[in-house]
């Protein structure tokens, strides 16, 4: 497959590697973008693997949290332009969808669209999406949502005006679930997840396939650094320990106090609240538009084509 300048530019934007390295990676990978990213990481040339996930769609992540912190929702609602995403009309629509999800408990997006709106049973959510599309003048869509309901505590957090949304559930005994320290802990967890981007709560939950791929990449890095075969495995084990501390929430350094881990902070909160049970159950982090390719208009090329005609 021929490697184009546009492909090299895209790979550079996604990895921050040098232009020549990006071109070589694409040649070695026969134009496969994901394999090229892996090749760069193996050679130690990709400065930021996390930049590989492109965010291109507009819209907001909206949230709903019940007064007793037992029900929480985050939902991603998309539109076509950043201008519309910031309007009160669009944001109000997204917030109304989040509230509906909390009250109506849809199973998935298809179920949600077919439900009667909780505040107006003459309309379905699909009708509301159509109405919003007409009123706002852009295509509006509900992409995904998560809803947690618990006997413990849930918390939500919206960052950068809806670019990032987090929902987290904390198990707590009945006596401590109303404790202000426990509620603050849940909120601080949501902030932590937004900032530090963990992938799992604990080691046992790390995706096995992804872990094995990480080991392969780390092994290749060590060999490419010229390390003897006999110590490569020990190096990989050491680097995997560091990897766990990056991707496992409980092992991450606390963003407000790097001398503490989240697990250590949880122990302090439990002791102060007299909690017999305090644990992180699960979380979800949405980043607006992640994984969606946004149409790119090349106006210069368009004008040139019109002139040629």
């Amino acid at each position: 497959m021929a490697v184009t300048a546009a492909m090299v530019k895209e790979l550079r934007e996604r990895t921050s590697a040098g232009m020549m390295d990006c071109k070589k990676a694409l040649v070695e990978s026969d134009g496969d973008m994901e394999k090229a990213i892996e090749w760069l990481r193996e050679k130690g040339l990709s400065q930021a693997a996390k930049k590989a996930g492109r965010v291109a769609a507009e819209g907001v992540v909206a949230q709903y949290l019940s007064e007793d912190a037992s029900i929480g929702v985050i939902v991603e609602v998309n539109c076509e332009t950043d201008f519309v995403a910031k309007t009160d009309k669009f944001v109000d629509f997204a917030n109304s969808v989040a509230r509906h999800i909390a009250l109506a408990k849809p199973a998935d997006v298809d179920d949600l669209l077919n439900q009667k709106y909780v505040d107006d049973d003459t309309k379905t959510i699909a009708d509301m999406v159509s109405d919003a599309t007409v009123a706002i003048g852009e295509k509006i869509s509900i992409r995904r949502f998560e809803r947690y309901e618990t006997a413990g505590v849930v918390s939500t957090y919206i960052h950068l005006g809806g670019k990032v949304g987090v929902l987290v559930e904390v198990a707590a005994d009945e006596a401590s679930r109303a404790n202000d320290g426990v509620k603050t802990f849940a909120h601080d967890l949501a902030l932590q997840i937004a900032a530090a981007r963990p992938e799992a709560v604990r080691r046992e939950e790390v995706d096995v396939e992804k872990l094995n791929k990480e080991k392969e990449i780390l092994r290749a890095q060590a060999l490419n650094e010229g390390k003897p075969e006999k110590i490569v495995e020990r190096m990989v084990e050491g680097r995997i320990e560091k990897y766990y501390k990056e991707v496992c929430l409980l092992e991450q350094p606390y963003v407000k106090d790097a001398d503490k881990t989240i697990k250590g902070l949880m122990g302090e909160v439990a002791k102060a609240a007299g909690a017999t049970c305090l644990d992180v159950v699960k979380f979800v982090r949405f980043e607006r538009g992640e994984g969606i390719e946004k149409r790119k208009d090349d106006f210069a090329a368009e004008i040139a084509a019109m002139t040629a005609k």
Side-chain angles (χ1 to χ4, degrees):
M1 180 179 179
V3 175
T4 66
M7 293 166 65
V8 174
K9 181 175 181 291
E10 179 181 350
L11 184 59
R12 176 173 169 74
E13 289 174 350
R14 294 178 67 176
T15 64
S16 297
M19 294 291 281
M20 295 306 297
D21 291 327
C22 288
K23 183 177 180 180
K24 186 173 182 181
L26 285 163
V27 170
E28 292 291 330
S29 307
D30 195 29
D32 187 304
M33 193 66 64
E34 299 306 319
K35 288 182 179 178
I37 291 170
E38 288 185 16
W39 188 91
L40 286 169
R41 289 197 64 204
E42 289 176 357
K43 302 299 181 184
L45 298 172
S46 175
Q47 297 175 21
K50 289 181 180 179
K51 290 185 179 179
R54 300 186 65 184
V55 180
E58 303 302 340
V60 295
V61 181
Q63 63 86 31
Y64 176 89
L65 184 65
S66 63
E67 289 187 14
D68 64 356
S70 66
I71 299 173
V73 169
I74 58 171
V75 58
E76 180 180 354
V77 182
N78 297 118
C79 58
E80 296 179 51
T81 65
D82 182 58
F83 173 78
V84 163
K86 293 176 179 177
T87 62
D88 290 342
K89 187 176 290 186
F90 180 79
V91 172
D92 288 346
F93 171 74
N95 287 334
S96 68
V97 172
R99 178 177 175 275
H100 171 92
I101 292 167
L103 299 177
K105 307 180 185 180
D108 52 34
V109 172
D110 287 339
D111 185 30
L112 168 63
L113 292 172
N114 288 319
Q115 287 182 332
K116 297 288 188 181
Y117 180 41
V118 290
D119 289 333
D120 183 354
D121 62 8
T122 66
K123 293 183 178 182
T124 64
I125 298 299
D127 292 332
M128 290 182 60
V129 171
S130 297
D131 291 348
T133 297
V134 172
I136 292 172
E138 288 190 5
K139 179 181 177 182
I140 308 299
S141 61
I142 301 171
R143 184 185 180 199
R144 54 182 173 167
F145 68 85
E146 284 288 341
R147 179 188 185 277
Y148 291 170
E149 184 169 0
T150 180
V153 175
V154 293
S155 190
T156 58
Y157 174 64
I158 300 297
H159 187 56
L160 295 174
K163 182 179 179 181
V164 175
V166 174
L167 176 62
V168 62
E169 178 183 345
V170 175
D173 56 86
E174 187 175 354
S176 61
R177 69 178 304 274
N179 182 278
D180 287 342
V182 171
K183 289 183 177 179
T184 298
F185 171 66
H187 181 65
D188 285 344
L189 281 179
L191 295 176
Q192 174 81 23
I193 293 160
R197 303 171 65 101
E199 297 175 12
V201 175
R202 46 186 60 83
R203 294 188 179 197
E204 309 89 85
E205 298 169 12
V206 174
D207 182 82
V208 174
E209 185 176 339
K210 189 168 184 179
L211 180 63
N212 289 337
K213 175 62 70 175
E214 190 69 20
K215 288 179 179 179
E216 289 177 16
I217 291 171
L218 292 173
R219 189 174 291 107
Q221 284 180 353
L223 290 172
N224 286 329
E225 289 169 6
K227 299 296 189 293
E229 182 80 38
K230 62 182 180 180
I231 69 167
V232 166
E233 288 306 314
R234 290 204 303 273
M235 289 182 64
V236 170
E237 288 177 10
R239 291 177 179 180
I240 284 295
E241 283 296 311
K242 182 180 178 182
Y243 173 75
Y244 278 133
K245 291 175 182 177
E246 291 175 352
V247 303
C248 297
L249 176 61
L250 292 178
E251 298 189 35
Q252 287 183 333
Y254 180 33
V255 290
K256 292 185 178 181
D257 185 349
D259 291 332
K260 298 178 182 178
T261 64
I262 294 300
K263 186 175 181 179
L265 174 66
M266 184 167 65
E268 291 179 8
V269 172
K271 184 177 180 180
T276 58
C277 169
L278 188 66
D279 197 10
V280 183
V281 179
K282 57 186 176 180
F283 70 85
V284 64
R285 181 185 188 277
F286 286 173
E287 189 158 339
R288 180 192 64 204
E290 57 191 343
I292 299 176
E293 286 293 332
K294 183 169 67 175
R295 185 189 69 197
K296 296 179 180 178
D297 294 319
D298 188 339
F299 293 111
E302 187 176 321
I303 291 170
M306 291 172 64
T307 304
K309 289 181 180 179

